[in-house]
Amino acid sequence: MASLLSNQALPWGQRVSAKRQACYYALPASWLLDQKLLESLETPWERCRNNMVELNAFRESGILSERELRITEQYNVAELLGLISSGEITALEATLAFSKRAAIAQQLTNCLTETYFPQAQQRAKQLDLLRENGETVGPLHGLPISLKDTFQIKGSEATIGMVAFLDQASTTNSCLVDILNDLGAVLYCKTNVPQTLMTADSDNNVFGRTLNPWNTALTAGGSSGGEGALIAMRGAAIGVGTDVAGSIRIPALCCGTYGFRPTTGRIPYGKQRGCANPGFRPIPPCAGPLSNDIDSLPIFMKAVLSANPRRYDATATDVPWREIQGSSARKLRLGLVPEDPRIPLHPPVQAALKEAVHLLEKQGHEIVKLSPEECRVDQACQVSWSLLGLDDMPNRRVLEAGETAVPSRLRFQQAISKMGMEHVADIHGLDPLQKYAALTVKRASIADDWNQLWVSKRLDAVVAPAAQNSAVEHDEFNVPAYTVFLNLLDYPACVIPFGKVAGIEVNFKVGSGQSTPQYNPKALEGAPLSIQVFTSSMRDEECLDVAKVVDECLRQGDSHKARF
C-alpha cells in the first residue's frame, strides 16, 4: 500500500514512464525485434509511410517458427478450433504463436496495453491436459482471444489510457471475461484506446499512439484502435472491442478488418472500465468482435450467447442466438444510404460504394436507393453528439488528474463546434434534464422514420458507407456520422473491407458547413476501404447472414483487391 501511495504522489509524467517501462519489460527478451530492422524504417514513424503488414518482420525476425507462422496466417477461427479439438494443434502452440505475433505487432504499431503471456501459457497447458483426457471446457476451448483495454481482468490494470486510473489493479473480472474463460478461451493481451474513449484516434498519454499497420502515418481508428491494428497484423484470430459511436467499426475500416457492432446487450458489457458517468448512458455502449474473416464473427456471437449471458450480467439481453435460413438461398432487397450533402464522401469511398452496388446488382440483388432526407444521417449525428455531450465527467477526469488533452480530442471538439446544429438548436437554454428529454423525443422521431422505411420499402438490410473517409492522417478523422447514427438507433452493423485507396488526384474540397476530413490522395494511397451493412434492432443474426452474402459478392474474382 505504501508503494502504491508513493507512486500516486509522483508527477503524472513519471508514473506514465514507469508504466510504459513495465509494459516493455513484460515482453520476453527473445521476442524483441532486431534493432537493425527497426532502424531500417522511416522516422518518425507516425509521420512517415511505413507499411508494417508488408514489412515481413514476422518471418524475417526468426521469432516465429514456420509452424507458428502457419497457425497465425492460414486459419480462421473455425479452422483453429477444429485443429485444436483434433489435437493437430495444441492450445499451447496456438497461444504461443499468437502471443509472439502480438508482441511483434506491439513493437511495430504500439497496439497493446496489458499482456498476460505467462498466465496464458499456463492456462493453455491446463486446457491441453483436459483435452488429452477427453474433456473440453467449452466451444472456444484453447482459442486465444484479445480484448480491448476497457475489459477488466482481476489483478491487472484497466487504465484505458487515463492517468486517473494508473496503479489501480482491477478487483473483479468484466462479465465477458468470465464468460470467455468458461467457454475455454485463452486471454493473452489487451489493446490500446484513445484518451476518454471518445475520439477516432487511439492515442493517450499513458501508452502513446497506435499506428495503422498499412501506413504508420495514418490513424488506426478508435476507440478500439489497438484491436484493429492487432487483428490486421494477425496478432489475434479474433478480438473484442466496444462501440458507442463507431468504436468497433472505425478501427475495422481503418485497418482493413471485419468488425461487428451487435444490438446493445446481446454481448454482455458489465463491469467494464469507463470514464463516463456510470449512471448516465444516453447512448449505451456495446461489445462486439473484430476479425480477418466474416465467418468468425457469428462463431463468436453464438458461443457467447450459448453461455446464457444473463447468468453473468443483469444488463445482458436474455435472447439466445437464433438459427435462421440462409440469405444466400434468395435474392435480397437492400436499401442504400446515399451521401449526405452535409457529410460528403471522399472520392475513393464514393467509388467503392458504387462498385459494391454494381457487384450486388450483377448477382441479382435489388438495390433500393434511399434519399438523404429519408435517412436523416446528419440530424441523427446532431442528436447523438448533443446526447453524448451532456456528460462532462470524462473531461473532468482528465483535468483532475492534471494530464494534458491529446491532439485528437481537441481536433474532435473543433469539428463538432463547426457542425451545423440547427436540428437541435431549440435545446439551447434548457436545463440538462430538459435537454435530455427534448433530445429523446428527436431520437424517437428518427427511429420512427427508420421503422417506416423498413416496412414501406420491404428491406432485408441496408448497405451504407462505413465513414466519409478511409483511414486519414493522425488526429484528422472528424465526426463519424455514418457510424454514430446506427448507435442512436441501436442497429446491428457489420463493416466489410473492400478495396484500397488508389491515391488518384481529383477535385475535392470541403465546403462551408460540411463535416469531413480534407482529402489528401497521396497521403492516403493504399489505405483500406470498407462498406457497412446493417439491419434493424435485434436482427443481429440477419445482419451477419446478409453481410456474408454481400462479402461473397464483393470477393468474386479479385474485386475486393480493387483500387479506387
Side-chain angles (χ1 to χ4, degrees):
M1 177 63 72
S3 175
L4 176 60
L5 291 175
S6 62
N7 285 345
Q8 292 178 336
L10 292 172
W12 71 264
Q14 292 184 32
R15 295 169 64 202
V16 163
S17 295
K19 178 64 177 178
R20 290 192 185 188
Q21 189 175 44
C23 290
Y24 176 79
Y25 282 113
L27 302 179
S30 60
W31 297 359
L32 298 180
L33 292 170
D34 189 295
Q35 198 63 30
K36 289 182 180 179
L37 185 147
L38 300 177
E39 290 173 354
S40 70
L41 299 168
E42 291 187 70
T43 57
W45 289 7
E46 66 182 64
R47 298 299 172 202
C48 298
R49 293 175 56 88
N50 294 294
N51 187 327
M52 300 304 193
V53 176
E54 298 176 357
L55 180 64
N56 208 19
F58 300 105
R59 188 171 299 277
E60 293 180 2
S61 68
I63 294 170
L64 284 86
S65 67
E66 284 295 325
R67 182 173 173 83
E68 288 169 333
L69 288 167
R70 287 197 302 274
I71 289 171
T72 55
E73 293 174 359
Q74 293 187 8
Y75 307 118
N76 61 23
V77 166
E79 292 164 338
L80 281 169
L81 287 171
L83 291 167
I84 293 169
S85 177
S86 69
E88 293 180 57
I89 293 175
T90 66
L92 180 59
E93 284 180 310
T95 298
L96 271 172
F98 281 105
S99 294
K100 287 181 179 182
R101 197 163 183 119
I104 295 173
Q106 161 65 5
Q107 295 169 71
L108 297 176
T109 64
N110 195 41
C111 56
L112 303 185
T113 55
E114 310 298 325
T115 56
Y116 310 98
F117 300 142
Q119 301 95 315
Q121 291 171 46
Q122 186 59 39
R123 158 84 164 168
K125 289 177 183 177
Q126 294 169 352
L127 292 171
D128 285 332
L129 284 174
L130 288 172
R131 194 203 64 78
E132 290 172 9
N133 292 323
E135 301 177 47
T136 57
V137 173
L140 301 180
H141 186 101
L143 181 70
I145 293 181
S146 57
L147 298 170
K148 185 175 182 175
D149 196 57
T150 53
F151 290 94
Q152 298 197 77
I153 294 179
K154 186 176 179 179
S156 69
E157 293 184 19
T159 63
I160 59 170
M162 302 276 287
V163 171
F165 298 131
L166 274 173
D167 309 311
Q168 295 182 22
S170 295
T171 58
T172 186
N173 287 337
S174 293
C175 297
L176 184 60
V177 168
D178 284 335
I179 291 176
L180 292 175
N181 282 328
D182 288 348
L183 291 173
V186 180
L187 308 178
Y188 63 109
C189 64
K190 294 203 296 181
T191 53
N192 203 20
V193 299
Q195 183 187 60
T196 74
L197 305 175
M198 285 304 294
T199 83
D201 205 290
S202 292
D203 178 28
N204 59 74
N205 291 320
V206 177
F207 299 105
R209 186 190 297 279
T210 297
L211 306 175
N212 191 304
W214 295 99
N215 179 350
T216 55
L218 304 181
T219 180
S223 63
S224 308
E227 277 300 322
L230 181 66
I231 298 292
M233 297 288 274
R234 303 195 72 89
I238 196 162
V240 189
T242 67
D243 197 311
V244 75
S247 295
I248 289 170
R249 292 160 290 157
I250 294 169
L253 74 90
C254 286
C255 297
T257 76
Y258 296 81
F260 180 56
R261 178 227 182 266
T263 304
T264 301
R266 293 299 301 271
I267 299 298
Y269 194 87
K271 300 181 182 178
Q272 286 201 57
R273 171 77 81 186
C275 59
N277 187 328
F280 182 70
R281 289 186 171 180
I283 300 180
C286 62
L290 297 90
S291 71
N292 281 307
D293 69 287
I294 192 76
D295 292 324
S296 296
L297 303 177
I299 290 174
F300 173 87
M301 294 293 297
K302 186 175 180 179
V304 172
L305 292 181
S306 74
N308 191 0
R310 180 61 72 87
R311 295 190 299 117
Y312 299 79
D313 184 354
T315 68
T317 304
D318 192 13
V319 177
W321 186 257
R322 294 178 290 110
E323 297 295 342
I324 61 173
Q325 183 178 357
S327 296
S328 58
R330 61 189 175 87
K331 299 305 179 184
L332 298 170
R333 185 173 169 86
L334 302 171
L336 175 64
V337 172
E339 174 184 69
D340 190 295
R342 298 281 294 273
I343 312 149
L345 306 179
H346 279 186
V349 177
Q350 295 179 25
L353 190 61
K354 182 179 179 180
E355 178 63 13
V357 168
H358 167 71
L359 292 171
L360 288 165
E361 290 181 326
K362 185 178 177 182
Q363 290 300 311
H365 301 294
E366 185 178 0
I367 302 297
V368 180
K369 295 181 179 179
L370 308 176
S371 70
E373 293 74 24
E374 289 174 316
C375 296
R376 301 183 66 178
V377 172
D378 175 51
Q379 292 182 357
C381 186
Q382 294 180 41
V383 173
S384 299
W385 293 116
S386 297
L387 282 167
L388 293 168
L390 293 174
D391 183 10
D392 68 345
M393 185 169 284
N395 189 53
R396 286 193 286 117
R397 288 191 191 276
V398 172
L399 294 173
E400 289 168 4
E403 63 172 312
T404 55
V406 296
S408 63
R409 283 188 61 220
L410 301 176
R411 173 71 177 84
F412 195 64
Q413 290 165 5
Q414 291 171 358
I416 292 175
S417 69
K418 293 179 181 178
M419 285 178 59
M421 301 291 280
E422 65 280 354
H423 185 63
V424 295
D426 56 346
I427 72 170
H428 296 307
L430 301 179
D431 65 43
L433 182 59
Q434 290 174 322
K435 284 183 179 179
Y436 180 63
L439 291 168
T440 299
V441 170
K442 294 178 186 294
R443 170 163 51 184
S445 170
I446 295 169
D448 185 61
D449 281 358
W450 264 98
N451 189 60
Q452 293 301 315
L453 275 179
W454 290 110
V455 175
S456 64
K457 306 288 187 180
R458 297 178 288 108
L459 303 176
D460 293 304
V462 178
V463 175
Q468 54 267 52
N469 47 267
S470 64
V472 290
E473 299 95 326
H474 297 296
D475 308 324
E476 296 297 322
F477 196 91
N478 214 293
V479 180
Y482 293 97
T483 51
V484 75
F485 92 99
L486 297 174
N487 294 84
L488 186 77
L489 295 166
D490 197 16
Y491 284 178
C494 185
V495 160
I496 301 171
F498 179 54
K500 291 187 177 179
V501 176
I504 299 171
E505 293 281 354
V506 295
N507 184 24
F508 178 85
K509 293 183 179 180
V510 181
S512 176
Q514 291 184 322
S515 179
T516 202
Q518 294 293 334
Y519 176 56
N520 301 313
K522 290 303 180 185
L524 307 186
E525 183 178 358
L529 292 164
S530 299
I531 67 164
Q532 186 172 207
V533 173
F534 64 89
T535 52
S536 57
S537 188
M538 295 303 297
R539 297 292 179 180
D540 303 70
E541 294 85 348
E542 286 84 354
C543 184
L544 286 175
D545 193 53
V546 172
K548 181 176 174 62
V549 174
V550 172
D551 184 58
E552 289 173 350
C553 283
L554 302 188
R555 296 184 68 80
Q556 290 187 7
D558 288 330
S559 296
H560 62 291
K561 298 180 181 178
R563 290 183 174 257
F564 300 101

